[in-house]
């Protein structure tokens, strides 16, 4: 259990993550969906995860099936896209990789891959980040808009609790494994420690993919990061209203634009599995309806959701 002592400066600066972190969520999903009980609550994600097991084998080998993960795999930055988060992980100094993996691997069987990873070999780090990219694209990307919407719902409910019951009500009601005994927040997690807040506040991130226990990251000069489990929301049904309104392909294009990253006509076609000319036609139709805006950047046309498109998807801001 972690006993986290929070002072007045921390309590004045409690806030929520604005959206799920693409890489952070991917790493948690790699663990959570290997647990049969958790996987049963998210069958669509679990099915896709099982389908890419061989293609993402480094994840299953290099990341523990549950429990403690090295802190460098939980970047504070890189919220805008998967690639931004992966770049941050690749930039981790070798000394930090070695130190944190030494602690993480202390209670798991050694293997040649794990030894090389724990030695900080760049090749193994590149292997891991490439597998994370494949896992996000195959498992999480199809439901990313839904995961973002579910996140906003969790934050809205917690914000209502905060408005009605104050800090005490908010912290006491986050999760059964989190207890608020002012000024100490007790968190049943994967390691034991007595810690003090950083004075930079508390960043709360609700996630259905957090796993069995909350996760805590404390780094000097940064807000304490607390990721806590929330129930998985229902997945979009095959007869969802957006598909009925726009058609399956056009709805898929619109939903893809809600994901992090830069969206060109070529990437829209690739992710919707249609030709570039068809992607251009769909983007033009969505642009004519006021749902999409497009700009030419160099030799590519880059598309983004308009405020109307965001509202149609249930979002409040542009994710690009």
């Amino acid at each position: 259990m972690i006993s986290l002592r929070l002072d007045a400066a921390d309590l004045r600066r409690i806030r929520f993550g604005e959206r799920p972190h693409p890489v952070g969520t991917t790493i948690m999903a790699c663990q959570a969906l290997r647990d049969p009980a958790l996987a049963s609550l998210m069958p669509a994600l679990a099915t896709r995860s099982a389908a890419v097991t061989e293609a993402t084998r480094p994840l299953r080998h290099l990341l523990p099936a549950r429990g403690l993960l090295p802190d460098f795999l939980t970047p504070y930055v890189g919220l805008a896209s998967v690639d931004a988060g992966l770049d941050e992980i690749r930039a981790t100094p070798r000394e930090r990789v070695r130190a944190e993996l030494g602690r993480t691997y202390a209670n798991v069987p050694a293997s040649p891959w794990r030894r090389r990873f724990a030695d900080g070999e760049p090749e193994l780090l590149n292997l891991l980040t490439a597998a994370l990219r494949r896992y996000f694209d195959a498992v999480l990307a199809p439901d990313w808009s839904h995961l973002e919407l579910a996140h906003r719902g969790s934050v809205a409910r917690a914000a209502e609790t905060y408005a009605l019951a104050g800090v005490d009500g908010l912290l006491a009601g986050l999760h059964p494994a989190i207890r608020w005994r002012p000024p100490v927040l007790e968190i049943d997690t994967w390691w034991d420690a007595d810690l003090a807040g950083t004075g930079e506040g508390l960043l709360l991130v609700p996630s259905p993919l957090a796993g069995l226990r909350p996760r805590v990251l404390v780094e000097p000069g940064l807000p304490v990061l607390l990721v806590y489990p929330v129930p998985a929301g229902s997945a979009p049904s095959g007869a969802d209203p957006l598909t009925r309104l726009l058609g399956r392909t056009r709805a898929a294009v619109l939903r893809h634009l809600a994901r992090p990253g830069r969206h060109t006509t070529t990437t829209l076609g690739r992710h919707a599995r249609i030709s570039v000319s068809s992607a251009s036609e769909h983007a033009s139709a969505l642009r004519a309806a006021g749902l999409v805006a497009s700009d030419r950047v160099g030799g590519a046309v880059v598309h983004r959701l308009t405020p109307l498109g965001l509202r149609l998807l249930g979002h409040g801001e542009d994710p690009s």
Side-chain angles (χ1 to χ4, degrees):
M1 183 181 74
I2 289 177
S3 295
L4 178 65
R5 182 174 294 273
L6 301 173
D7 64 17
D10 292 308
L11 296 174
R12 283 196 304 268
R13 303 176 69 180
I14 295 175
R15 54 198 184 278
F16 288 88
E18 60 182 285
R19 64 182 74 168
H21 193 292
V23 168
T25 305
T26 302
I27 291 169
M28 291 189 298
C30 293
Q31 284 193 326
L33 296 175
R34 290 162 72 178
D35 183 292
L38 293 173
S40 68
L41 301 175
M42 295 169 277
L45 295 181
T47 298
R48 292 197 293 267
S49 179
V52 296
T53 296
E54 185 58 33
T56 59
R57 189 163 57 97
L59 300 181
R60 299 181 71 87
H61 191 74
L62 296 175
L63 298 180
R66 62 171 59 189
L68 186 65
L69 288 167
D71 290 345
F72 74 86
L73 291 180
T74 310
Y76 276 87
V77 299
L79 187 64
S81 68
V82 179
D83 289 332
L86 295 178
D87 287 344
E88 185 70 17
I89 290 173
R90 292 189 193 99
T92 307
R94 183 173 180 175
E95 296 75 17
R96 180 176 179 182
V97 172
R98 295 178 65 177
E100 294 183 2
L101 282 173
R103 292 193 296 270
T104 302
Y105 286 163
N107 297 312
V108 298
S111 72
W113 270 21
R114 288 174 183 155
R115 290 192 189 97
R116 291 173 59 196
F117 195 27
D119 283 340
E121 286 192 24
E123 180 185 349
L124 269 292
L125 193 58
N126 290 335
L127 192 68
L128 178 73
T129 53
L132 285 169
R133 172 85 245 189
R134 288 194 294 271
Y135 192 94
F136 177 88
D137 289 343
V139 179
L140 298 184
D143 279 344
W144 191 251
S145 296
H146 175 68
L147 290 168
E148 286 200 312
L149 188 59
H151 174 85
R152 292 174 186 274
S154 296
V155 170
R157 288 188 291 274
E160 182 178 9
T161 299
Y162 182 65
L164 296 175
V167 170
D168 289 340
L170 172 66
L171 296 180
L174 290 175
H175 187 268
I178 301 172
R179 294 173 296 279
W180 176 231
R181 306 183 193 279
V184 175
L185 197 63
E186 297 178 348
I187 308 159
D188 289 332
T189 187
W190 300 102
W191 50 295
D192 299 324
D194 291 323
L195 303 172
T198 62
E200 300 295 330
L202 189 62
L203 182 61
L204 302 174
V205 179
S207 176
L209 292 162
L212 297 171
R213 303 182 188 180
R215 299 171 181 270
V216 183
L217 178 59
V218 182
E219 293 195 3
L222 294 170
V224 174
L225 177 63
L226 174 57
V227 183
Y228 61 96
V230 293
S234 58
S237 68
D240 80 285
L242 190 64
T243 296
R244 292 200 302 269
L245 177 67
L246 300 177
R248 183 179 301 277
T249 301
R250 199 158 291 171
V253 169
L254 193 70
R255 284 196 168 109
H256 176 69
L257 288 170
R259 299 185 207 160
R262 181 176 183 265
H263 305 295
T264 65
T265 306
T266 300
T267 61
L268 288 180
R270 183 168 64 248
H271 286 280
R273 298 186 179 182
I274 55 178
S275 67
V276 173
S277 60
S278 293
S280 179
E281 291 175 6
H282 285 297
S284 296
L286 293 169
R287 187 166 56 248
L291 302 174
V292 169
S294 305
D295 301 290
R296 180 165 290 280
V297 180
V301 177
V302 179
H303 309 282
R304 67 183 186 281
L305 293 177
T306 64
L308 179 60
L310 287 161
R311 287 197 294 273
L312 185 62
L313 288 173
H315 296 273
E317 62 187 45
D318 192 333
S320 63

